[in-house]
Amino acid sequence: MRLRIKFGIEPGSALDFNYQWPLSAMTYSCLSNAAPDFTRTLHDLGFPQLDGPSFKFFTFSTLWAGKGKTRIEKGKLAFDTDHLIWKFGSPIPAVSTLFAEGLLSMKLVRIANLEAEVIEVSDDREPELGNGLAYFNCISPLVASVIDEKLGHRYLSPDQASFWTTVENNLYKKWETLHGKPPSGKVIFRPDYGYISSRSTGKKIIIKDRYIVKGHLVPFSVQGPPELVSLGYNAGFGSRNSLGFGMVEESNRQ
């Protein structure tokens, strides 16, 4: 279940480039306002998988001010607008519902040093997935990494086949964790290699002033069982979803 949120802000408000962590903190704050015990469990334990870290089963987009409404000022993002658009998603309807309740009851939220008024919270239409084929653009960076003995995590690039295999396997693990059994079918990812080869897709985000997460804004198609594609759409593709990575929207590009 996806939500579209409209925030009211003071024109000219500024925010640090690395605002994913403050957005995640704000998300937990809103959830806790509606359901403190559930939120504490979600934050501390999540939904454990058998052979890896737990999933939180929510994701969110970057903040969108509108075309031409964002500029760089004194090393920060400054917004020449009185509102921002943001999206939140979870494959668990209760999580989205609780989040919406928390947002609407708080009225004002703080994202780092930015104060925002909650103007509107509405359902965001899910794309038609009847044939199991969808074309997506990333609205937050897509992350794929593997364990590395020296680095801890080694981040992969979307021009590598291993990037998409890692994203694929991550989706299967999400399904098995949520439903207690493997999915009934497979998915096929087809990245837009022409797009990847013609421009820089990489984004480095610093979390808590010390951890660097490397993701990519890249278009791709995915085909498979509709319910599995829908899970990726709502939970986020790839990893680090609860920090604001891996959210997509339907694309007209084919």
Short mmCIF file of all heavy atoms in Angstrom, two decimals, residues 172 182-187 224-225 227-228:
data_model
loop_
_atom_site.label_atom_id
_atom_site.label_comp_id
_atom_site.label_asym_id
_atom_site.label_seq_id
_atom_site.Cartn_x
_atom_site.Cartn_y
_atom_site.Cartn_z
N TYR A 172 13.12 -12.51 -3.49
CA TYR A 172 12.66 -13.84 -3.08
C TYR A 172 12.71 -13.98 -1.56
O TYR A 172 11.82 -14.58 -0.95
CB TYR A 172 13.53 -14.92 -3.72
CG TYR A 172 13.52 -14.94 -5.22
CD1 TYR A 172 14.63 -15.39 -5.93
CD2 TYR A 172 12.41 -14.50 -5.95
CE1 TYR A 172 14.63 -15.41 -7.31
CE2 TYR A 172 12.42 -14.51 -7.33
CZ TYR A 172 13.53 -14.96 -8.01
OH TYR A 172 13.54 -14.98 -9.39
N PRO A 182 8.73 -20.17 -0.17
CA PRO A 182 9.32 -19.56 -1.37
C PRO A 182 8.23 -19.11 -2.34
O PRO A 182 7.10 -19.63 -2.32
CB PRO A 182 10.17 -20.69 -1.97
CG PRO A 182 10.36 -21.67 -0.85
CD PRO A 182 9.13 -21.58 -0.01
N PRO A 183 8.54 -18.15 -3.21
CA PRO A 183 7.54 -17.74 -4.22
C PRO A 183 7.30 -18.84 -5.23
O PRO A 183 8.13 -19.75 -5.41
CB PRO A 183 8.21 -16.51 -4.87
CG PRO A 183 9.67 -16.71 -4.65
CD PRO A 183 9.79 -17.39 -3.31
N SER A 184 6.17 -18.77 -5.89
CA SER A 184 5.79 -19.82 -6.84
C SER A 184 6.42 -19.65 -8.22
O SER A 184 6.30 -20.52 -9.07
CB SER A 184 4.26 -19.85 -6.99
OG SER A 184 3.79 -18.59 -7.46
N GLY A 185 7.08 -18.52 -8.44
CA GLY A 185 7.70 -18.27 -9.74
C GLY A 185 8.90 -17.37 -9.60
O GLY A 185 9.25 -16.94 -8.50
N LYS A 186 9.54 -17.10 -10.71
CA LYS A 186 10.74 -16.27 -10.74
C LYS A 186 10.45 -14.94 -11.43
O LYS A 186 9.47 -14.80 -12.17
CB LYS A 186 11.86 -16.99 -11.50
CG LYS A 186 12.27 -18.33 -10.90
CD LYS A 186 13.00 -18.14 -9.59
CE LYS A 186 13.53 -19.47 -9.06
NZ LYS A 186 14.27 -19.32 -7.78
N VAL A 187 11.33 -13.97 -11.18
CA VAL A 187 11.23 -12.69 -11.87
C VAL A 187 12.47 -12.49 -12.75
O VAL A 187 13.53 -13.05 -12.49
CB VAL A 187 11.12 -11.50 -10.89
CG1 VAL A 187 9.81 -11.53 -10.14
CG2 VAL A 187 12.30 -11.48 -9.93
N GLY A 224 7.34 -11.15 -13.98
CA GLY A 224 7.21 -12.32 -13.14
C GLY A 224 5.81 -12.39 -12.57
O GLY A 224 4.90 -11.68 -13.01
N PRO A 225 5.59 -13.24 -11.57
CA PRO A 225 4.27 -13.31 -10.93
C PRO A 225 3.84 -11.94 -10.44
O PRO A 225 4.62 -11.25 -9.75
CB PRO A 225 4.51 -14.28 -9.76
CG PRO A 225 5.67 -15.12 -10.19
CD PRO A 225 6.55 -14.20 -10.97
N GLU A 227 2.06 -10.86 -8.05
CA GLU A 227 2.13 -10.63 -6.61
C GLU A 227 3.58 -10.42 -6.14
O GLU A 227 3.83 -9.72 -5.17
CB GLU A 227 1.50 -11.80 -5.84
CG GLU A 227 2.19 -13.14 -6.03
CD GLU A 227 1.73 -13.93 -7.25
OE1 GLU A 227 1.05 -13.34 -8.12
OE2 GLU A 227 2.04 -15.13 -7.31
N LEU A 228 4.53 -10.99 -6.87
CA LEU A 228 5.94 -10.82 -6.51
C LEU A 228 6.44 -9.44 -6.95
O LEU A 228 7.18 -8.77 -6.23
CB LEU A 228 6.76 -11.93 -7.17
CG LEU A 228 8.17 -12.21 -6.64
CD1 LEU A 228 8.19 -12.40 -5.14
CD2 LEU A 228 8.75 -13.44 -7.35
#
